[in-house]
Every structure is written in structure tokens, then in C-alpha cells.
Amino acid sequence: QVQLVESGGGLVQAGDSLRLSCAASGRTASGYAMGWFRQAPGKEREFVAAITWSGARTVYANSVKGRFTISRDNAKNTDYLQMNSLKPEDTAVYYCAAKSVIGDLTRAYNYWGQGTQVTVSS
């Protein structure tokens, strides 16, 4: 029903910046919340950031607060994760997610992208 495609990952040095993009297609309904999660090898998938359809509400994990910024462009069906001051512990596969029901923005997402690798070297 919904296809999400992430892009923008890569290999960077500590302190560098990256912008991840998530393009959505295959849906007719509006009002989706969008989120970003990440998963490092041997670790559980963890919440990173989320934004409501209107952009009025944003939520960030404490580990990225002040460094990452989530935004969206509804005309392009795309959301973005601006990642600044990257640290080696940010290394993970980053997944874009979407859900149609607004509630707790840190969980219960229905649709997922394939992921994009972010590697931060020291």
C-alpha cells in the first residue's frame, strides 16, 4: 500500500553532516506521521525522530536531540532527517517509517523502508 524509499546515507567522519530523505509513494490518504529509526549490528531497532503530517509536533530521542532535525515536504511526499555533528555511535542502518494513526510518535509504525546505511568513522 505504501512504499518508502530512503536515500542519503554514506560514510562520513565524526563531526560531519548528512541529510537523509524518505520518499513515499503508493498511498492515497494524507495525514501520515513519519518517523526515523535505526539499528546497529547486534542491537535493537531504536527510535530516532518523528514528525506529524502538519509538522506541528516533532519528537526526538535524547541521544540525537540538538543534533538531528526532522522535517517534511508534503507536496513532494518526502521527509528529511538532517544529521549534524555525527558521532561514531550514530553508525547504523536508518529506516524511514510511516503510520496513519497519530498517537505515540515513538512506536507502532505500519510501513517501513528498506534502510540506508550511515557509517561514522572517528
Side-chain angles (χ1 to χ4, degrees):
Q1 182 178 347
V2 175
Q3 182 178 2
L4 305 175
V5 180
E6 304 96 333
S7 62
L11 174 63
V12 299
Q13 293 183 316
D16 285 353
S17 297
L18 281 174
R19 190 183 73 164
L20 305 183
S21 298
C22 176
S25 63
R27 62 182 181 184
T28 59
S30 62
Y32 279 76
M34 303 292 294
W36 288 92
F37 292 75
R38 66 187 183 187
Q39 187 168 24
K43 297 182 179 180
E44 294 183 341
R45 182 174 58 190
E46 65 175 345
F47 170 78
V48 176
I51 188 169
T52 58
W53 175 258
S54 68
R57 292 171 55 204
T58 57
V59 182
Y60 297 93
N62 288 334
S63 59
V64 305
K65 191 174 299 182
R67 299 188 297 121
F68 292 8
T69 302
I70 189 170
S71 62
R72 67 189 304 167
D73 184 342
N74 290 340
K76 298 180 179 179
N77 289 322
T78 302
D79 75 295
Y80 306 93
L81 185 68
Q82 179 66 46
M83 310 164 67
N84 297 329
S85 302
L86 283 163
K87 304 175 181 179
E89 52 262 44
D90 295 318
T91 296
V93 176
Y94 283 71
Y95 297 92
C96 177
K99 65 177 180 178
S100 60
V101 178
I102 301 300
D104 184 351
L105 293 176
T106 69
R107 61 182 295 275
Y109 284 80
N110 306 109
Y111 306 100
W112 296 86
Q114 293 298 113
T116 185
Q117 177 70 47
V118 173
T119 302
V120 184
S121 65
S122 60

